[in-house]
Amino acid sequence: SMDADEQVLFDVNEFAEGHDYFYMRWPAVTPDSGVAAFAFDDFGRRKYTIKFKDLTTGEILDEAIELVSGNMVWAEDSRTLFYTRKHPTTLRSYQIWRHELGTDPDTDVLAFEETDDTFSCWVSKTKSEEFIVIESGHTLRTEIRFLDADDPTGEFTVFLEREGEHEYSLDH
């Protein structure tokens, strides 16, 4: 309620203790408001680690997903997180992975890989929150895939294939 006492969900100064450098990206909260995924870089190379906080208990969960960009979005089941992984040498955002809360990140599933090294990719959700979107971007070219946010293990559908000097965006 609006009258409830203020509650600090993330004290970044506390997380930063003992680190020469610490940066945390804006947390992604599950649609049911139960868990927040947060990505942080404690080295300064924009190689983020994702961790999870149970917002009911305040507990930080053991799961950690490393070498990511910090770009992430929850499916509507409040259990499936899509996130972007960086290439280990070029640091280009080139893969979108699917993680199920409570499972070992080593069992995460590759949902999409951008094989053209002139493109980078990222994941987001439409304004309606009904679709998960993967966008591959290049200086003059775009290609977007979408998936029903209620069907996180489904296949992404290409909206319009990349071609020529054609950039586009979409929303729902």
Side-chain angles (χ1 to χ4, degrees), residues 21-26 38-51 64-72 83-86 91:
Y21 177 91
F22 191 91
Y23 181 82
M24 189 172 110
R25 303 252 332 225
W26 193 257
F38 63 100
F40 63 90
D41 170 10
D42 57 7
F43 191 71
R45 288 273 296 146
R46 283 183 282 183
K47 293 180 184 177
Y48 292 86
T49 298
I50 296 172
K51 292 206 75 167
I65 306 169
E66 297 180 348
L67 196 65
V68 298
S69 73
N71 164 236
M72 57 194 165
Y83 63 90
T84 309
R85 200 175 275 292
K86 291 184 159 205
L91 298 185

Side-chain angles (χ1 to χ4, degrees), residues 38 52 54 62 79 81 94 144-145 148 155:
F38 63 100
F52 302 89
D54 183 321
D62 289 336
R79 305 235 1 109
L81 182 78
Y94 79 121
I144 296 176
R145 294 164 162 69
D148 187 322
E155 290 292 313

Side-chain angles (χ1 to χ4, degrees), residues 14-172:
E14 200 177 293
F15 284 113
E17 250 171 57
H19 297 281
D20 291 333
Y21 177 91
F22 191 91
Y23 181 82
M24 189 172 110
R25 303 252 332 225
W26 193 257
V29 178
T30 53
D32 68 6
S33 303
V35 175
F38 63 100
F40 63 90
D41 170 10
D42 57 7
F43 191 71
R45 288 273 296 146
R46 283 183 282 183
K47 293 180 184 177
Y48 292 86
T49 298
I50 296 172
K51 292 206 75 167
F52 302 89
K53 181 173 184 173
D54 183 321
L55 296 178
T56 321
T57 65
E59 177 195 5
I60 305 287
L61 308 178
D62 289 336
E63 287 159 65
I65 306 169
E66 297 180 348
L67 196 65
V68 298
S69 73
N71 164 236
M72 57 194 165
V73 68
W74 289 101
E76 284 300 292
D77 64 359
S78 295
R79 305 235 1 109
T80 309
L81 182 78
F82 287 89
Y83 63 90
T84 309
R85 200 175 275 292
K86 291 184 159 205
H87 190 280
T89 49
T90 66
L91 298 185
R92 173 177 69 94
S93 295
Y94 79 121
Q95 292 176 334
I96 307 296
W97 287 78
R98 188 178 76 231
H99 174 75
E100 192 179 331
L101 196 60
T103 66
D104 182 341
D106 288 344
T107 65
D108 288 0
V109 175
L110 179 64
F112 173 74
E113 180 167 6
E114 180 50 72
T115 54
D116 182 335
D117 64 10
T118 65
F119 280 76
S120 292
C121 63
W122 55 94
V123 64
S124 62
K125 222 174 193 178
T126 56
K127 258 185 204 140
S128 67
E129 301 191 349
E130 288 182 38
F131 296 95
I132 292 165
V133 174
I134 294 174
E135 185 170 340
S136 286
H138 171 279
T139 316
L140 299 166
R141 227 173 283 142
T142 311
E143 185 174 74
I144 296 176
R145 294 164 162 69
F146 63 95
L147 173 69
D148 187 322
D150 283 320
D151 182 23
T153 60
E155 290 292 313
F156 281 84
T157 303
V158 175
F159 181 77
L160 189 65
E161 289 189 17
R162 61 188 79 179
E163 60 175 6
E165 294 183 0
H166 184 218
E167 292 180 89
Y168 70 92
S169 61
L170 66 84
D171 206 344
H172 181 258

